[in-house]
Structure formats: structure tokens, C-alpha cells
Amino acid sequence: MKKLLTALALFALPILASAQIENPVKWSFTSKKVNATTYEVHATATIESGWHLYAQEAGEGPVPTSFKFAKNPLVAADGKVKENGKLHKSFDKNFNSELKYYENTVNFVQTVTVKGKAATKVKGSVEFMVCDDHQCLPPKEVEFAVSVGGK
């Protein structure tokens, strides 16, 4: 009986180990001062090889990357979030649509104006979806907070 339980445990270990939650995207959030009142908020995604992250205007089917910014009376967003990276476009038979996505890395940039001289934070979240050649992971949301303003 002990041998049977030991054998079952040994067979179950690889299955349990492979059931770990995959997280093929690492995010970093920074700010860059442009002038006395203007900052760029950078959200940089580093994507593992073989995976791709969908653009903000991805096409029909997958969940596009989207940003939500918390209201802050000291900060005003200027325009839309820009994408800096090598944009790929290809027809995906799974979604039956031409899709736009990024591989390896992409930098999303939101320009903001800070009102007054006080230091504050730009807070929000990014929702995104990633796929590889065989599967798509469920959409995920990551919160962020970036310091702007002050000295």
C-alpha cells in the first residue's frame, strides 16, 4: 500500500508543478520629467519569448490592452496613451480576424500635466491579455502608482 501511495505521489508531482500560474509579462512603471509641469508616465511590458501582448486597438476577438487612471485633481492627462514598440499585424484563424500585437517589449506612454508644485502620484491599472501559438491566458489586471511633481 505504501509503495502504491509513493508511486502515485511521484506521478502527481510533475502535474502539480506544471499547474503553476503562468505570467509571461513583467510590467515596470516609471515617470520622466519633460518640463516644469509635464511628465511622461511609462508602463513597460517585457514579454517572454513565444508570447504576444495585444495592442490597445487589437482587432476583433482578444481583450485589448487598456489603461484606467484614477481621478487626481492635481494631474490632467494630455491625449491618449501612446504605444512605442514593434507593432505586428497578422491574421489569426482562432479569432478569424487581423490582430495587432507586440512581442518582446512595448512601452506605453501617457503624458500628464501636474497642477501646482506638490508631489503626487498617478495611479491606475492596466488590463491585458497574452497568447502564444497554442493558448491564450485569461485577461489580467495590474495596478500601478507612479510619483510625479514636486522637486
Side-chain angles (χ1 to χ4, degrees):
M1 189 68 173
K2 282 185 182 179
K3 288 181 180 179
L4 178 63
L5 286 175
T6 303
L8 285 174
L10 288 174
F11 284 116
L13 278 176
I15 294 167
L16 293 173
S18 70
Q20 293 178 8
I21 297 172
E22 290 189 75
N23 189 15
V25 179
K26 303 285 185 263
W27 288 91
S28 64
F29 303 95
T30 58
S31 68
K32 178 182 174 188
K33 188 173 185 174
V34 176
N35 62 40
T37 60
T38 305
Y39 288 79
E40 291 177 346
V41 176
H42 292 259
T44 304
T46 303
I47 307 151
E48 285 182 14
S49 180
W51 291 90
H52 53 268
L53 172 81
Y54 291 101
Q56 294 176 95
E57 309 231 347
E60 293 293 319
V63 173
T65 300
S66 63
F67 290 86
K68 291 181 203 157
F69 292 94
K71 292 194 185 311
N72 181 336
L74 298 176
V75 179
D78 300 334
K80 295 182 179 182
V81 177
K82 295 179 182 78
E83 301 174 357
N84 296 323
K86 185 176 180 190
L87 183 65
H88 296 270
K89 295 179 192 177
S90 69
F91 184 82
D92 187 311
K93 64 181 186 274
N94 297 315
F95 291 109
N96 197 29
S97 176
E98 182 171 88
L99 300 179
K100 298 176 186 173
Y101 58 90
Y102 293 94
E103 295 175 339
N104 303 318
T105 187
V106 59
N107 186 23
F108 296 92
V109 182
Q110 174 65 62
T111 304
V112 298
T113 301
V114 179
K115 301 171 186 173
K117 297 185 194 279
T120 188
K121 289 190 182 283
V122 174
K123 295 180 181 180
S125 62
V126 56
E127 182 181 29
F128 62 97
M129 182 173 162
V130 292
C131 297
D132 66 8
D133 292 341
H134 309 291
Q135 66 180 334
C136 291
L137 299 181
K140 190 170 185 180
E141 192 168 357
V142 173
E143 293 184 355
F144 62 87
V146 178
S147 297
V148 294
K151 293 186 178 186

